[in-house]
């Protein structure tokens, strides 16, 4: 199956903008984050980050999840290029490892 | 350019000493990380971590400062190869004491040595966000021709 032309256009439009690529790579490097957290690491305003995230969301490159009053964003690995997809796998591996370390360390000891 | 490092962290309701033990003792490493561990994971030594699915990997422990900092280097894409310049990443764990536990932070860095930059430009043309350069050219050409839809 090939993606529709419209969809391809949206994907390209989303990624040709360098600031949006940086937003995407920050999400990949640090995991889930809010617009405020991302703006703290970028030379652009929170409002600008929000706009970039909306474009990335429409292109299917990120997912948004509401938590209380915050919206947290994360990359959607299936839409990334191969090298970044592998990094997303590495990141998922560390998340799983940390969760297991937590479980082991918190378990009552015999 | 792909990100140079991946960072993640978690808060654990246990003392740094307890987290340290789980993090560094081979018996535990064989649970949270590999399927089997040969070696004692001491600084300056090489241990072998194995996974049935991926193979065996040589892990060089660089530093162990209990209960604060632990680091190792591995060639995560080359089973059986000693980690060195250009083929490996550095994995660093930091244990930060918190009021009711420990914040465990992991950073793996050096990915730009590991992944060919070309990978960014290889695409099946239907997926992946940095595809072939000619697709980009086509896109730019098309948007230049057509009036913007917005």
């Amino acid at each position: 199956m090939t993606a529709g032309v419209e969809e391809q256009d949206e994907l390209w439009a989303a990624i040709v903008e360098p600031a949006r690529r940086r937003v995407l790579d920050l999400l990949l490097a640090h995991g889930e984050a809010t617009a405020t957290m991302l703006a703290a690491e970028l030379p652009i305003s929170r409002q600008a980050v929000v706009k970039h995230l909306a474009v990335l969301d429409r292109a299917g490159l990120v997912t948004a999840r509401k938590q209380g009053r915050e919206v947290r964003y994360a990359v959607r690995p299936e839409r990334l290029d191969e090298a970044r997809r592998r990094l997303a796998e590495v990141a998922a591996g560390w998340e799983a490892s940390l969760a297991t370390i937590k479980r082991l360390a918190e378990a009552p000891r015999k | 350019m792909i990100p140079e490092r991946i960072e993640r962290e978690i808060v654990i309701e246990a003392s740094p000493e307890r987290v340290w033990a789980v993090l560094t003792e081979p018996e535990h490493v064989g649970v949270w990380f590999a399927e089997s561990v040969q070696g004692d994971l001491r600084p300056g030594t090489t241990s072998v971590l194995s996974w049935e699915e991926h193979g065996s990997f040589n892990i060089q422990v660089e530093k162990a400062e209990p209960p604060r900092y632990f680091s190792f280097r591995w060639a995560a894409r080359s089973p059986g190869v000693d980690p060195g310049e250009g083929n490996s990443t550095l994995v660093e764990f930091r244990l930060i004491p918190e009021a009711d536990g420990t914040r465990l932070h992991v950073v793996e860095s050096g990915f730009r040595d590991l992944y060919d930059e070309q990978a960014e430009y290889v695409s099946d043309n239907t997926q992946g966000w940095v595809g072939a350069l000619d697709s980009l050219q086509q896109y730019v050409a098309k948007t230049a021709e057509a009036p913007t839809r917005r």
Side-chain angles (χ1 to χ4, degrees), chain A residues 29 68 106:
Chain A
E106 290 178 355

Side-chain angles (χ1 to χ4, degrees), chain B residues 49-97:
Chain B
L49 270 57
S50 305
W51 288 263
E52 199 173 308
E53 194 186 336
H54 310 288
S56 296
F57 295 83
N58 301 353
I59 302 272
Q60 237 160 50
V61 175
E62 304 240 308
K63 253 189 208 168
E65 294 166 2
R68 293 283 181 269
Y69 179 87
F70 182 71
S71 65
F72 66 80
R73 192 166 268 290
W74 67 328
R77 300 189 72 189
S78 319
V81 172
D82 277 333
E85 282 288 308
N87 74 352
S88 65
T89 51
L90 178 68
V91 178
E92 298 170 278
F93 289 95
R94 287 182 177 80
L95 293 76
I96 303 129

Side-chain angles (χ1 to χ4, degrees), chain A residues 1-95:
Chain A
M1 271 231 325
T2 45
V5 173
E6 296 270 317
E7 197 193 333
Q8 277 299 320
D9 279 6
E10 203 152 43
L11 191 60
W12 279 113
I15 61 138
V16 290
E17 159 65 45
R20 279 199 284 275
R21 289 225 290 268
R22 292 206 56 194
V23 168
L24 209 51
D25 281 346
L26 270 178
L27 282 176
L28 180 59
H30 299 286
E32 217 180 42
T34 63
T36 308
M37 288 156 75
L38 293 165
E41 301 212 31
L42 292 165
I44 52 177
S45 69
R46 184 184 170 281
Q47 248 187 330
V49 171
V50 168
K51 282 183 189 163
H52 288 314
L53 285 167
V55 176
L56 292 170
D57 195 7
R58 275 202 301 277
L61 286 157
V62 300
T63 54
R65 182 173 73 86
K66 259 202 131 153
Q67 195 182 48
R69 293 175 55 204
E70 292 185 319
V71 183
R72 300 180 74 87
Y73 293 87
V75 293
R76 273 181 62 188
E78 62 270 30
R79 297 284 269 171
L80 302 178
D81 63 289
E82 196 194 331
R84 283 181 179 78
R85 258 202 316 270
R86 283 180 196 242
L87 288 194
E89 279 170 26
V90 170
W94 285 125
E95 281 170 15

